[in-house]
Short mmCIF file of all heavy atoms in Angstrom, two decimals:
data_model
loop_
_atom_site.label_atom_id
_atom_site.label_comp_id
_atom_site.label_asym_id
_atom_site.label_seq_id
_atom_site.Cartn_x
_atom_site.Cartn_y
_atom_site.Cartn_z
N MET A 1 -22.83 -2.82 -22.11
CA MET A 1 -22.26 -2.52 -20.85
C MET A 1 -22.91 -3.41 -19.80
O MET A 1 -24.13 -3.65 -19.75
CB MET A 1 -22.53 -1.07 -20.48
CG MET A 1 -22.05 -0.59 -19.11
SD MET A 1 -20.24 -0.59 -18.94
CE MET A 1 -19.85 0.88 -19.67
N VAL A 2 -22.15 -3.90 -18.82
CA VAL A 2 -22.67 -4.72 -17.74
C VAL A 2 -23.21 -3.80 -16.64
O VAL A 2 -22.50 -2.89 -16.18
CB VAL A 2 -21.53 -5.66 -17.15
CG1 VAL A 2 -22.05 -6.42 -15.93
CG2 VAL A 2 -21.04 -6.61 -18.19
N GLU A 3 -24.40 -3.98 -16.30
CA GLU A 3 -25.02 -3.23 -15.23
C GLU A 3 -24.90 -3.97 -13.89
O GLU A 3 -24.70 -5.16 -13.93
CB GLU A 3 -26.48 -2.88 -15.51
CG GLU A 3 -26.68 -2.14 -16.85
CD GLU A 3 -28.17 -2.02 -17.19
OE1 GLU A 3 -29.04 -2.42 -16.33
OE2 GLU A 3 -28.41 -1.53 -18.36
N LYS A 4 -25.09 -3.19 -12.82
CA LYS A 4 -24.96 -3.79 -11.49
C LYS A 4 -25.95 -4.99 -11.36
O LYS A 4 -25.42 -6.03 -10.87
CB LYS A 4 -25.32 -2.71 -10.48
CG LYS A 4 -25.24 -3.23 -9.00
CD LYS A 4 -25.60 -2.12 -8.01
CE LYS A 4 -27.05 -2.05 -7.80
NZ LYS A 4 -27.44 -1.28 -6.69
N ASP A 5 -27.12 -4.91 -11.81
CA ASP A 5 -28.06 -6.06 -11.63
C ASP A 5 -27.62 -7.25 -12.44
O ASP A 5 -27.77 -8.38 -11.92
CB ASP A 5 -29.45 -5.67 -11.92
CG ASP A 5 -29.73 -5.24 -13.34
OD1 ASP A 5 -28.79 -4.69 -14.00
OD2 ASP A 5 -30.85 -5.33 -13.89
N LYS A 6 -27.01 -7.06 -13.59
CA LYS A 6 -26.42 -8.11 -14.34
C LYS A 6 -25.30 -8.82 -13.67
O LYS A 6 -25.12 -10.00 -13.65
CB LYS A 6 -26.17 -7.76 -15.81
CG LYS A 6 -25.89 -8.94 -16.68
CD LYS A 6 -25.88 -8.41 -18.16
CE LYS A 6 -26.02 -9.55 -19.06
NZ LYS A 6 -26.04 -9.15 -20.44
N PHE A 7 -24.40 -7.96 -13.05
CA PHE A 7 -23.25 -8.39 -12.37
C PHE A 7 -23.66 -9.32 -11.23
O PHE A 7 -23.13 -10.40 -11.04
CB PHE A 7 -22.53 -7.18 -11.81
CG PHE A 7 -21.22 -7.46 -11.11
CD1 PHE A 7 -20.04 -7.65 -11.79
CD2 PHE A 7 -21.22 -7.52 -9.74
CE1 PHE A 7 -18.85 -7.92 -11.11
CE2 PHE A 7 -20.02 -7.80 -9.03
CZ PHE A 7 -18.84 -7.99 -9.75
N ILE A 8 -24.69 -8.92 -10.46
CA ILE A 8 -25.25 -9.67 -9.35
C ILE A 8 -25.89 -10.98 -9.93
O ILE A 8 -25.67 -12.08 -9.36
CB ILE A 8 -26.27 -8.86 -8.60
CG1 ILE A 8 -25.54 -7.74 -7.90
CG2 ILE A 8 -27.00 -9.78 -7.58
CD1 ILE A 8 -26.50 -6.67 -7.23
N ALA A 9 -26.61 -10.90 -11.04
CA ALA A 9 -27.24 -12.08 -11.65
C ALA A 9 -26.17 -13.05 -12.11
O ALA A 9 -26.40 -14.29 -11.96
CB ALA A 9 -28.14 -11.64 -12.82
N ILE A 10 -25.04 -12.64 -12.59
CA ILE A 10 -23.96 -13.56 -13.03
C ILE A 10 -23.44 -14.33 -11.80
O ILE A 10 -23.37 -15.55 -11.80
CB ILE A 10 -22.89 -12.85 -13.70
CG1 ILE A 10 -23.26 -12.30 -15.07
CG2 ILE A 10 -21.59 -13.79 -13.87
CD1 ILE A 10 -22.26 -11.37 -15.70
N ARG A 11 -23.23 -13.68 -10.67
CA ARG A 11 -22.76 -14.26 -9.42
C ARG A 11 -23.81 -15.23 -8.95
O ARG A 11 -23.46 -16.36 -8.58
CB ARG A 11 -22.37 -13.25 -8.42
CG ARG A 11 -21.85 -13.91 -7.12
CD ARG A 11 -21.44 -12.84 -6.10
NE ARG A 11 -22.48 -12.09 -5.49
CZ ARG A 11 -23.36 -12.49 -4.58
NH1 ARG A 11 -23.22 -13.73 -4.11
NH2 ARG A 11 -24.25 -11.65 -4.17
N THR A 12 -25.03 -14.80 -8.96
CA THR A 12 -26.10 -15.71 -8.40
C THR A 12 -26.31 -16.91 -9.32
O THR A 12 -26.49 -17.96 -8.86
CB THR A 12 -27.45 -14.85 -8.37
OG1 THR A 12 -27.22 -13.75 -7.64
CG2 THR A 12 -28.62 -15.70 -7.78
N TYR A 13 -26.27 -16.76 -10.65
CA TYR A 13 -26.38 -17.81 -11.55
C TYR A 13 -25.27 -18.85 -11.39
O TYR A 13 -25.53 -20.07 -11.39
CB TYR A 13 -26.32 -17.25 -12.95
CG TYR A 13 -26.39 -18.31 -14.07
CD1 TYR A 13 -27.64 -18.93 -14.42
CD2 TYR A 13 -25.24 -18.70 -14.72
CE1 TYR A 13 -27.70 -19.90 -15.40
CE2 TYR A 13 -25.30 -19.63 -15.73
CZ TYR A 13 -26.49 -20.25 -16.01
OH TYR A 13 -26.56 -21.25 -17.07
N LEU A 14 -24.04 -18.35 -11.06
CA LEU A 14 -22.98 -19.24 -10.83
C LEU A 14 -22.97 -19.86 -9.43
O LEU A 14 -22.12 -20.70 -9.10
CB LEU A 14 -21.58 -18.54 -11.02
CG LEU A 14 -21.37 -18.12 -12.48
CD1 LEU A 14 -20.05 -17.21 -12.53
CD2 LEU A 14 -21.23 -19.29 -13.38
N ASP A 15 -23.92 -19.42 -8.63
CA ASP A 15 -24.14 -19.96 -7.26
C ASP A 15 -22.87 -19.74 -6.43
O ASP A 15 -22.42 -20.63 -5.77
CB ASP A 15 -24.54 -21.37 -7.23
CG ASP A 15 -25.16 -21.82 -5.94
OD1 ASP A 15 -25.61 -20.95 -5.21
OD2 ASP A 15 -25.06 -23.08 -5.61
N MET A 16 -22.28 -18.53 -6.53
CA MET A 16 -21.04 -18.25 -5.80
C MET A 16 -21.29 -17.18 -4.73
O MET A 16 -22.07 -16.24 -4.89
CB MET A 16 -20.06 -17.68 -6.81
CG MET A 16 -19.43 -18.69 -7.74
SD MET A 16 -18.13 -17.94 -8.72
CE MET A 16 -17.51 -19.37 -9.51
N SER A 17 -20.55 -17.35 -3.67
CA SER A 17 -20.59 -16.25 -2.60
C SER A 17 -19.73 -15.11 -3.12
O SER A 17 -19.02 -15.25 -4.18
CB SER A 17 -19.94 -16.82 -1.33
OG SER A 17 -18.53 -17.08 -1.59
N VAL A 18 -19.78 -13.98 -2.53
CA VAL A 18 -19.01 -12.80 -2.91
C VAL A 18 -17.45 -13.23 -2.87
O VAL A 18 -16.82 -12.94 -3.94
CB VAL A 18 -19.25 -11.54 -2.09
CG1 VAL A 18 -18.29 -10.51 -2.32
CG2 VAL A 18 -20.69 -11.06 -2.38
N PRO A 19 -16.95 -13.75 -1.80
CA PRO A 19 -15.51 -14.15 -1.88
C PRO A 19 -15.14 -15.05 -2.99
O PRO A 19 -14.16 -14.97 -3.63
CB PRO A 19 -15.27 -14.77 -0.49
CG PRO A 19 -16.34 -14.18 0.38
CD PRO A 19 -17.55 -14.06 -0.50
N ASN A 20 -16.04 -16.10 -3.22
CA ASN A 20 -15.77 -17.04 -4.31
C ASN A 20 -15.83 -16.37 -5.64
O ASN A 20 -14.92 -16.59 -6.60
CB ASN A 20 -16.75 -18.13 -4.29
CG ASN A 20 -16.47 -19.13 -3.13
OD1 ASN A 20 -15.46 -19.12 -2.50
ND2 ASN A 20 -17.49 -19.91 -2.83
N PHE A 21 -16.72 -15.49 -5.89
CA PHE A 21 -16.86 -14.76 -7.15
C PHE A 21 -15.68 -13.80 -7.34
O PHE A 21 -15.13 -13.75 -8.44
CB PHE A 21 -18.17 -13.93 -7.14
CG PHE A 21 -18.58 -13.44 -8.53
CD1 PHE A 21 -18.63 -14.19 -9.65
CD2 PHE A 21 -18.87 -12.06 -8.64
CE1 PHE A 21 -18.99 -13.68 -10.87
CE2 PHE A 21 -19.23 -11.56 -9.86
CZ PHE A 21 -19.36 -12.36 -11.03
N ALA A 22 -15.26 -13.21 -6.26
CA ALA A 22 -14.09 -12.33 -6.37
C ALA A 22 -12.88 -13.16 -6.74
O ALA A 22 -12.04 -12.69 -7.63
CB ALA A 22 -13.85 -11.64 -4.98
N GLY A 23 -12.68 -14.33 -6.15
CA GLY A 23 -11.57 -15.19 -6.60
C GLY A 23 -11.70 -15.62 -8.04
O GLY A 23 -10.63 -15.66 -8.77
N PHE A 24 -12.90 -15.87 -8.46
CA PHE A 24 -13.17 -16.32 -9.82
C PHE A 24 -12.75 -15.25 -10.79
O PHE A 24 -12.20 -15.50 -11.91
CB PHE A 24 -14.68 -16.60 -9.92
CG PHE A 24 -15.14 -17.04 -11.26
CD1 PHE A 24 -14.81 -18.34 -11.76
CD2 PHE A 24 -16.06 -16.32 -12.02
CE1 PHE A 24 -15.28 -18.78 -13.04
CE2 PHE A 24 -16.55 -16.76 -13.25
CZ PHE A 24 -16.19 -17.97 -13.71
N LEU A 25 -12.99 -13.95 -10.48
CA LEU A 25 -12.59 -12.80 -11.29
C LEU A 25 -11.19 -12.32 -10.98
O LEU A 25 -10.78 -11.40 -11.68
CB LEU A 25 -13.63 -11.72 -11.10
CG LEU A 25 -15.04 -12.00 -11.52
CD1 LEU A 25 -15.93 -10.80 -11.12
CD2 LEU A 25 -15.14 -12.30 -12.98
N ASN A 26 -10.58 -12.84 -10.01
CA ASN A 26 -9.28 -12.40 -9.58
C ASN A 26 -9.22 -10.89 -9.11
O ASN A 26 -8.43 -10.11 -9.55
CB ASN A 26 -8.18 -12.66 -10.67
CG ASN A 26 -6.77 -12.59 -10.17
OD1 ASN A 26 -6.57 -12.88 -8.96
ND2 ASN A 26 -5.86 -12.25 -11.00
N VAL A 27 -10.25 -10.58 -8.27
CA VAL A 27 -10.35 -9.22 -7.69
C VAL A 27 -10.62 -9.42 -6.22
O VAL A 27 -10.88 -10.47 -5.78
CB VAL A 27 -11.47 -8.35 -8.37
CG1 VAL A 27 -11.20 -8.21 -9.82
CG2 VAL A 27 -12.87 -9.01 -8.15
N SER A 28 -10.62 -8.29 -5.47
CA SER A 28 -10.87 -8.40 -4.06
C SER A 28 -12.39 -8.55 -3.82
O SER A 28 -13.17 -8.08 -4.58
CB SER A 28 -10.34 -7.13 -3.37
OG SER A 28 -11.04 -6.01 -3.78
N SER A 29 -12.72 -9.12 -2.70
CA SER A 29 -14.09 -9.20 -2.26
C SER A 29 -14.72 -7.82 -2.05
O SER A 29 -15.86 -7.63 -2.42
CB SER A 29 -14.27 -9.99 -0.95
OG SER A 29 -13.82 -11.32 -1.14
N SER A 30 -13.89 -6.91 -1.54
CA SER A 30 -14.48 -5.58 -1.33
C SER A 30 -14.84 -4.86 -2.64
O SER A 30 -15.83 -4.16 -2.67
CB SER A 30 -13.44 -4.70 -0.56
OG SER A 30 -12.29 -4.52 -1.28
N ASN A 31 -14.08 -5.17 -3.72
CA ASN A 31 -14.39 -4.66 -5.05
C ASN A 31 -15.84 -5.16 -5.46
O ASN A 31 -16.65 -4.38 -5.92
CB ASN A 31 -13.34 -5.12 -6.05
CG ASN A 31 -13.36 -4.29 -7.29
OD1 ASN A 31 -14.33 -3.50 -7.57
ND2 ASN A 31 -12.32 -4.45 -8.05
N VAL A 32 -16.09 -6.49 -5.28
CA VAL A 32 -17.36 -7.02 -5.57
C VAL A 32 -18.48 -6.42 -4.81
O VAL A 32 -19.52 -6.04 -5.27
CB VAL A 32 -17.33 -8.65 -5.51
CG1 VAL A 32 -18.77 -9.18 -5.70
CG2 VAL A 32 -16.38 -9.19 -6.52
N TYR A 33 -18.29 -6.35 -3.45
CA TYR A 33 -19.24 -5.76 -2.54
C TYR A 33 -19.60 -4.31 -2.96
O TYR A 33 -20.78 -3.94 -3.02
CB TYR A 33 -18.75 -5.73 -1.12
CG TYR A 33 -18.91 -7.07 -0.37
CD1 TYR A 33 -17.75 -7.72 0.13
CD2 TYR A 33 -20.11 -7.66 -0.12
CE1 TYR A 33 -17.79 -8.90 0.80
CE2 TYR A 33 -20.22 -8.88 0.55
CZ TYR A 33 -19.06 -9.51 0.96
OH TYR A 33 -19.17 -10.61 1.69
N MET A 34 -18.54 -3.54 -3.27
CA MET A 34 -18.81 -2.12 -3.64
C MET A 34 -19.56 -2.00 -4.94
O MET A 34 -20.42 -1.19 -5.18
CB MET A 34 -17.47 -1.39 -3.73
CG MET A 34 -16.92 -1.11 -2.36
SD MET A 34 -15.52 -0.02 -2.38
CE MET A 34 -14.20 -1.09 -2.86
N ILE A 35 -19.32 -2.89 -5.93
CA ILE A 35 -20.09 -2.93 -7.17
C ILE A 35 -21.52 -3.21 -6.92
O ILE A 35 -22.47 -2.65 -7.33
CB ILE A 35 -19.46 -3.84 -8.24
CG1 ILE A 35 -18.17 -3.31 -8.73
CG2 ILE A 35 -20.40 -4.10 -9.36
CD1 ILE A 35 -17.33 -4.30 -9.59
N GLU A 36 -21.72 -4.33 -6.08
CA GLU A 36 -23.11 -4.76 -5.77
C GLU A 36 -23.85 -3.72 -5.00
O GLU A 36 -25.07 -3.69 -5.16
CB GLU A 36 -23.01 -6.14 -5.12
CG GLU A 36 -22.58 -7.21 -6.07
CD GLU A 36 -22.81 -8.57 -5.56
OE1 GLU A 36 -23.30 -8.77 -4.40
OE2 GLU A 36 -22.42 -9.59 -6.31
N ASN A 37 -23.24 -2.97 -4.12
CA ASN A 37 -24.05 -2.04 -3.43
C ASN A 37 -24.05 -0.65 -4.06
O ASN A 37 -24.63 0.36 -3.56
CB ASN A 37 -23.56 -1.92 -1.93
CG ASN A 37 -22.28 -1.20 -1.68
OD1 ASN A 37 -21.82 -0.44 -2.52
ND2 ASN A 37 -21.55 -1.54 -0.64
N GLY A 38 -23.42 -0.50 -5.21
CA GLY A 38 -23.57 0.73 -6.02
C GLY A 38 -22.54 1.80 -5.72
O GLY A 38 -22.55 2.88 -6.22
N SER A 39 -21.56 1.51 -4.79
CA SER A 39 -20.61 2.52 -4.40
C SER A 39 -19.40 2.51 -5.40
O SER A 39 -18.49 3.41 -5.38
CB SER A 39 -20.15 2.38 -3.02
OG SER A 39 -19.51 1.15 -2.78
N ARG A 40 -19.32 1.61 -6.28
CA ARG A 40 -18.24 1.50 -7.35
C ARG A 40 -18.89 1.05 -8.64
O ARG A 40 -19.68 0.10 -8.64
CB ARG A 40 -17.20 0.52 -6.91
CG ARG A 40 -16.12 0.36 -8.02
CD ARG A 40 -14.98 -0.44 -7.54
NE ARG A 40 -14.10 0.36 -6.67
CZ ARG A 40 -13.11 -0.02 -6.04
NH1 ARG A 40 -12.71 -1.29 -6.10
NH2 ARG A 40 -12.37 0.75 -5.33
N ARG A 41 -18.47 1.72 -9.69
CA ARG A 41 -19.05 1.34 -10.99
C ARG A 41 -18.25 0.17 -11.58
O ARG A 41 -17.08 -0.06 -11.22
CB ARG A 41 -19.13 2.53 -11.97
CG ARG A 41 -17.81 3.12 -12.32
CD ARG A 41 -17.93 4.39 -13.20
NE ARG A 41 -16.66 4.78 -13.81
CZ ARG A 41 -16.16 4.27 -14.90
NH1 ARG A 41 -16.83 3.31 -15.55
NH2 ARG A 41 -14.98 4.66 -15.37
N ILE A 42 -18.81 -0.43 -12.60
CA ILE A 42 -18.12 -1.59 -13.21
C ILE A 42 -17.23 -0.95 -14.34
O ILE A 42 -17.69 -0.34 -15.30
CB ILE A 42 -19.09 -2.54 -13.82
CG1 ILE A 42 -19.99 -3.04 -12.67
CG2 ILE A 42 -18.50 -3.67 -14.56
CD1 ILE A 42 -21.18 -3.89 -13.17
N THR A 43 -16.01 -1.14 -14.25
CA THR A 43 -14.99 -0.63 -15.22
C THR A 43 -14.85 -1.52 -16.41
O THR A 43 -15.26 -2.63 -16.41
CB THR A 43 -13.64 -0.42 -14.53
OG1 THR A 43 -13.12 -1.79 -14.19
CG2 THR A 43 -13.67 0.42 -13.28
N LYS A 44 -14.24 -0.94 -17.46
CA LYS A 44 -13.95 -1.72 -18.64
C LYS A 44 -13.01 -2.91 -18.24
O LYS A 44 -13.13 -4.00 -18.87
CB LYS A 44 -13.23 -0.86 -19.70
CG LYS A 44 -14.24 0.12 -20.32
CD LYS A 44 -13.48 1.00 -21.35
CE LYS A 44 -14.48 2.07 -21.91
NZ LYS A 44 -13.80 2.94 -22.91
N ASN A 45 -12.05 -2.68 -17.37
CA ASN A 45 -11.18 -3.74 -16.87
C ASN A 45 -11.97 -4.88 -16.29
O ASN A 45 -11.78 -6.11 -16.52
CB ASN A 45 -10.21 -3.16 -15.90
CG ASN A 45 -9.15 -4.21 -15.45
OD1 ASN A 45 -8.67 -4.98 -16.23
ND2 ASN A 45 -8.91 -4.26 -14.17
N MET A 46 -13.01 -4.56 -15.47
CA MET A 46 -13.82 -5.59 -14.80
C MET A 46 -14.64 -6.35 -15.90
O MET A 46 -14.78 -7.51 -15.83
CB MET A 46 -14.78 -4.87 -13.79
CG MET A 46 -15.66 -5.97 -13.04
SD MET A 46 -14.79 -7.20 -12.13
CE MET A 46 -14.35 -6.22 -10.72
N ILE A 47 -15.21 -5.60 -16.84
CA ILE A 47 -15.93 -6.25 -17.93
C ILE A 47 -15.07 -7.20 -18.68
O ILE A 47 -15.47 -8.31 -19.00
CB ILE A 47 -16.50 -5.19 -18.91
CG1 ILE A 47 -17.62 -4.31 -18.19
CG2 ILE A 47 -17.11 -5.84 -20.22
CD1 ILE A 47 -18.02 -3.12 -18.90
N GLY A 48 -13.78 -6.87 -18.95
CA GLY A 48 -12.83 -7.76 -19.50
C GLY A 48 -12.63 -9.00 -18.72
O GLY A 48 -12.60 -10.15 -19.25
N LYS A 49 -12.50 -8.83 -17.34
CA LYS A 49 -12.28 -10.01 -16.50
C LYS A 49 -13.50 -10.96 -16.53
O LYS A 49 -13.36 -12.18 -16.60
CB LYS A 49 -12.09 -9.53 -15.04
CG LYS A 49 -10.69 -8.93 -14.81
CD LYS A 49 -10.60 -8.38 -13.45
CE LYS A 49 -9.23 -7.76 -13.16
NZ LYS A 49 -8.16 -8.71 -12.85
N ILE A 50 -14.72 -10.39 -16.57
CA ILE A 50 -15.90 -11.23 -16.69
C ILE A 50 -15.99 -11.93 -18.02
O ILE A 50 -16.26 -13.14 -18.05
CB ILE A 50 -17.16 -10.30 -16.46
CG1 ILE A 50 -17.26 -9.74 -15.05
CG2 ILE A 50 -18.49 -11.12 -16.79
CD1 ILE A 50 -18.20 -8.64 -14.94
N ALA A 51 -15.71 -11.24 -19.08
CA ALA A 51 -15.76 -11.81 -20.43
C ALA A 51 -14.77 -12.94 -20.54
O ALA A 51 -15.02 -13.89 -21.27
CB ALA A 51 -15.46 -10.70 -21.47
N LYS A 52 -13.64 -12.89 -19.86
CA LYS A 52 -12.62 -13.99 -19.99
C LYS A 52 -13.10 -15.23 -19.30
O LYS A 52 -12.77 -16.37 -19.75
CB LYS A 52 -11.32 -13.53 -19.26
CG LYS A 52 -10.49 -12.61 -20.15
CD LYS A 52 -9.14 -12.33 -19.46
CE LYS A 52 -8.37 -11.41 -20.27
NZ LYS A 52 -7.06 -11.05 -19.59
N VAL A 53 -13.90 -15.15 -18.29
CA VAL A 53 -14.24 -16.35 -17.53
C VAL A 53 -15.66 -16.72 -17.53
O VAL A 53 -16.11 -17.83 -17.03
CB VAL A 53 -13.81 -16.16 -15.98
CG1 VAL A 53 -12.38 -16.07 -15.87
CG2 VAL A 53 -14.54 -15.00 -15.40
N PHE A 54 -16.57 -15.92 -18.11
CA PHE A 54 -17.99 -16.15 -18.11
C PHE A 54 -18.60 -16.10 -19.53
O PHE A 54 -18.48 -15.02 -20.11
CB PHE A 54 -18.80 -15.22 -17.20
CG PHE A 54 -20.24 -15.54 -17.08
CD1 PHE A 54 -20.79 -16.63 -16.53
CD2 PHE A 54 -21.09 -14.61 -17.77
CE1 PHE A 54 -22.15 -16.82 -16.49
CE2 PHE A 54 -22.51 -14.90 -17.79
CZ PHE A 54 -22.98 -15.95 -17.12
N LYS A 55 -19.19 -17.16 -19.97
CA LYS A 55 -19.88 -17.17 -21.27
C LYS A 55 -21.35 -17.01 -21.06
O LYS A 55 -21.97 -17.83 -20.35
CB LYS A 55 -19.59 -18.44 -22.07
CG LYS A 55 -20.23 -18.45 -23.40
CD LYS A 55 -19.85 -19.67 -24.16
CE LYS A 55 -20.59 -19.59 -25.57
NZ LYS A 55 -20.09 -20.52 -26.49
N GLU A 56 -21.96 -16.01 -21.68
CA GLU A 56 -23.32 -15.73 -21.51
C GLU A 56 -24.16 -16.66 -22.42
O GLU A 56 -24.29 -16.47 -23.60
CB GLU A 56 -23.66 -14.25 -21.82
CG GLU A 56 -25.10 -13.86 -21.48
CD GLU A 56 -25.33 -12.37 -21.60
OE1 GLU A 56 -24.42 -11.63 -21.25
OE2 GLU A 56 -26.41 -12.05 -22.03
N THR A 57 -24.67 -17.73 -21.83
CA THR A 57 -25.46 -18.70 -22.54
C THR A 57 -26.95 -18.32 -22.61
O THR A 57 -27.38 -17.44 -21.91
CB THR A 57 -25.29 -20.04 -21.87
OG1 THR A 57 -25.89 -19.93 -20.52
CG2 THR A 57 -23.85 -20.55 -21.73
N GLU A 58 -27.61 -19.05 -23.43
CA GLU A 58 -29.14 -18.86 -23.51
C GLU A 58 -29.76 -19.21 -22.18
O GLU A 58 -30.67 -18.50 -21.77
CB GLU A 58 -29.70 -19.80 -24.63
CG GLU A 58 -31.12 -19.55 -24.88
CD GLU A 58 -31.65 -20.33 -26.04
OE1 GLU A 58 -30.98 -20.44 -27.07
OE2 GLU A 58 -32.70 -20.88 -25.90
N ASP A 59 -29.24 -20.17 -21.46
CA ASP A 59 -29.75 -20.49 -20.13
C ASP A 59 -29.58 -19.32 -19.16
O ASP A 59 -30.47 -19.01 -18.45
CB ASP A 59 -29.02 -21.76 -19.55
CG ASP A 59 -29.65 -22.26 -18.30
OD1 ASP A 59 -30.90 -22.40 -18.29
OD2 ASP A 59 -28.86 -22.51 -17.35
N PHE A 60 -28.43 -18.64 -19.20
CA PHE A 60 -28.21 -17.49 -18.37
C PHE A 60 -29.16 -16.37 -18.75
O PHE A 60 -29.72 -15.71 -17.89
CB PHE A 60 -26.74 -16.98 -18.40
CG PHE A 60 -26.64 -15.70 -17.76
CD1 PHE A 60 -26.57 -15.63 -16.38
CD2 PHE A 60 -26.57 -14.56 -18.41
CE1 PHE A 60 -26.56 -14.36 -15.70
CE2 PHE A 60 -26.48 -13.26 -17.87
CZ PHE A 60 -26.49 -13.19 -16.40
N GLN A 61 -29.32 -16.09 -20.04
CA GLN A 61 -30.15 -15.04 -20.55
C GLN A 61 -31.64 -15.27 -20.04
O GLN A 61 -32.30 -14.31 -19.64
CB GLN A 61 -30.13 -14.94 -22.03
CG GLN A 61 -28.85 -14.47 -22.61
CD GLN A 61 -28.67 -14.52 -24.10
OE1 GLN A 61 -29.58 -15.08 -24.74
NE2 GLN A 61 -27.61 -14.09 -24.53
N GLU A 62 -32.05 -16.51 -20.06
CA GLU A 62 -33.43 -16.84 -19.55
C GLU A 62 -33.48 -16.57 -17.98
O GLU A 62 -34.48 -15.98 -17.52
CB GLU A 62 -33.79 -18.22 -19.87
CG GLU A 62 -34.10 -18.50 -21.34
CD GLU A 62 -34.24 -19.98 -21.74
OE1 GLU A 62 -34.39 -20.83 -20.78
OE2 GLU A 62 -34.32 -20.29 -22.91
N PHE A 63 -32.43 -17.00 -17.30
CA PHE A 63 -32.37 -16.73 -15.85
C PHE A 63 -32.34 -15.32 -15.54
O PHE A 63 -33.11 -14.83 -14.68
CB PHE A 63 -31.05 -17.41 -15.33
CG PHE A 63 -30.74 -17.06 -13.90
CD1 PHE A 63 -31.35 -17.73 -12.84
CD2 PHE A 63 -29.83 -16.04 -13.64
CE1 PHE A 63 -31.07 -17.43 -11.52
CE2 PHE A 63 -29.56 -15.75 -12.28
CZ PHE A 63 -30.18 -16.43 -11.29
N TYR A 64 -31.60 -14.50 -16.28
CA TYR A 64 -31.51 -13.07 -16.06
C TYR A 64 -32.83 -12.40 -16.31
O TYR A 64 -33.33 -11.57 -15.58
CB TYR A 64 -30.43 -12.44 -16.94
CG TYR A 64 -30.20 -11.00 -16.83
CD1 TYR A 64 -29.90 -10.53 -15.55
CD2 TYR A 64 -30.22 -10.15 -17.86
CE1 TYR A 64 -29.73 -9.16 -15.40
CE2 TYR A 64 -29.98 -8.78 -17.74
CZ TYR A 64 -29.79 -8.24 -16.48
OH TYR A 64 -29.55 -6.94 -16.30
N ALA A 65 -33.60 -12.82 -17.39
CA ALA A 65 -34.84 -12.25 -17.73
C ALA A 65 -35.86 -12.58 -16.63
O ALA A 65 -36.66 -11.70 -16.23
CB ALA A 65 -35.37 -12.82 -19.09
N ARG A 66 -35.85 -13.78 -16.07
CA ARG A 66 -36.68 -14.24 -15.00
C ARG A 66 -36.48 -13.35 -13.73
O ARG A 66 -37.36 -12.89 -13.05
CB ARG A 66 -36.61 -15.68 -14.71
CG ARG A 66 -37.28 -16.53 -15.70
CD ARG A 66 -37.40 -18.00 -15.23
NE ARG A 66 -36.22 -18.57 -14.63
CZ ARG A 66 -35.26 -19.21 -15.27
NH1 ARG A 66 -35.32 -19.40 -16.59
NH2 ARG A 66 -34.23 -19.74 -14.64
N THR A 67 -35.16 -13.15 -13.38
CA THR A 67 -34.79 -12.36 -12.17
C THR A 67 -35.20 -10.97 -12.33
O THR A 67 -35.64 -10.31 -11.32
CB THR A 67 -33.27 -12.53 -11.84
OG1 THR A 67 -32.53 -12.07 -12.84
CG2 THR A 67 -32.96 -13.94 -11.50
N LYS A 68 -35.07 -10.37 -13.53
CA LYS A 68 -35.46 -9.02 -13.72
C LYS A 68 -37.01 -8.82 -13.52
O LYS A 68 -37.43 -7.89 -12.97
CB LYS A 68 -35.07 -8.52 -15.09
CG LYS A 68 -33.58 -8.18 -15.19
CD LYS A 68 -33.22 -7.57 -16.47
CE LYS A 68 -33.61 -6.09 -16.49
NZ LYS A 68 -32.94 -5.34 -17.51
N LYS A 69 -37.71 -9.71 -13.94
CA LYS A 69 -39.22 -9.70 -13.83
C LYS A 69 -39.57 -9.80 -12.33
O LYS A 69 -40.59 -9.16 -11.98
CB LYS A 69 -39.91 -10.86 -14.55
CG LYS A 69 -39.97 -10.66 -16.10
CD LYS A 69 -40.64 -11.74 -16.76
CE LYS A 69 -40.67 -11.48 -18.26
NZ LYS A 69 -41.39 -12.59 -18.99
N LEU A 70 -38.85 -10.48 -11.53
CA LEU A 70 -39.13 -10.63 -10.12
C LEU A 70 -38.98 -9.33 -9.34
O LEU A 70 -39.63 -9.06 -8.39
CB LEU A 70 -38.25 -11.74 -9.51
CG LEU A 70 -38.60 -13.19 -9.89
CD1 LEU A 70 -37.54 -14.09 -9.32
CD2 LEU A 70 -39.99 -13.55 -9.42
N VAL A 71 -38.05 -8.48 -9.85
CA VAL A 71 -37.76 -7.27 -9.15
C VAL A 71 -38.50 -6.05 -9.74
O VAL A 71 -38.30 -4.94 -9.28
CB VAL A 71 -36.22 -6.98 -9.01
CG1 VAL A 71 -35.57 -8.08 -8.12
CG2 VAL A 71 -35.60 -6.89 -10.37
N GLU A 72 -39.19 -6.18 -10.82
CA GLU A 72 -39.90 -5.13 -11.45
C GLU A 72 -41.14 -4.71 -10.63
O GLU A 72 -41.72 -5.49 -9.94
CB GLU A 72 -40.28 -5.48 -12.87
CG GLU A 72 -39.08 -5.47 -13.71
CD GLU A 72 -39.48 -5.87 -15.22
OE1 GLU A 72 -40.62 -6.39 -15.42
OE2 GLU A 72 -38.65 -5.65 -16.11
#
C-alpha cells in the first residue's frame, strides 16, 4: 500500500510541483493536495495510476529511505 509519505516522496523524487504531478497522474491538483495533507486517503484507483507511470527503482528506494530518516 502506498502511504502518504511515500506519495509525497514520489512527487519530490520526480521534482514536480503539485499541479505537474497531478497532470502526470491525470488527476486534479486538489486531489493531490488532499492526499498530501491527509484529508483524502490513497485509493486503489490512485495506486493504479501511480503504478502505470512510475517505476520504483533502486535509486528511488534509497532516496525514500534517506527522506524517512530525515523526518524520524
Side-chain angles (χ1 to χ4, degrees):
M1 179 65 84
V2 176
E3 298 173 11
K4 179 179 86 166
D5 62 332
K6 192 168 196 178
F7 183 84
I8 295 168
I10 292 169
R11 181 176 67 79
T12 305
Y13 178 78
L14 294 173
D15 196 25
M16 291 186 170
S17 65
V18 168
N20 288 344
F21 192 54
F24 182 67
L25 297 175
N26 198 28
V27 298
S28 69
S29 294
S30 62
N31 199 347
V32 173
Y33 281 118
M34 287 188 281
I35 289 170
E36 290 192 0
N37 73 26
S39 62
R40 176 173 283 174
R41 64 184 192 85
I42 301 171
T43 64
K44 289 179 184 177
N45 184 42
M46 179 63 75
I47 293 169
K49 288 176 181 276
I50 294 166
K52 282 184 181 179
V53 296
F54 179 73
K55 181 175 179 170
E56 190 170 321
T57 62
E58 187 175 315
D59 187 50
F60 170 76
Q61 291 170 356
E62 290 172 8
F63 171 82
Y64 183 55
R66 287 192 314 269
T67 59
K68 284 186 79 164
K69 285 183 182 180
L70 290 172
V71 296
E72 290 178 342

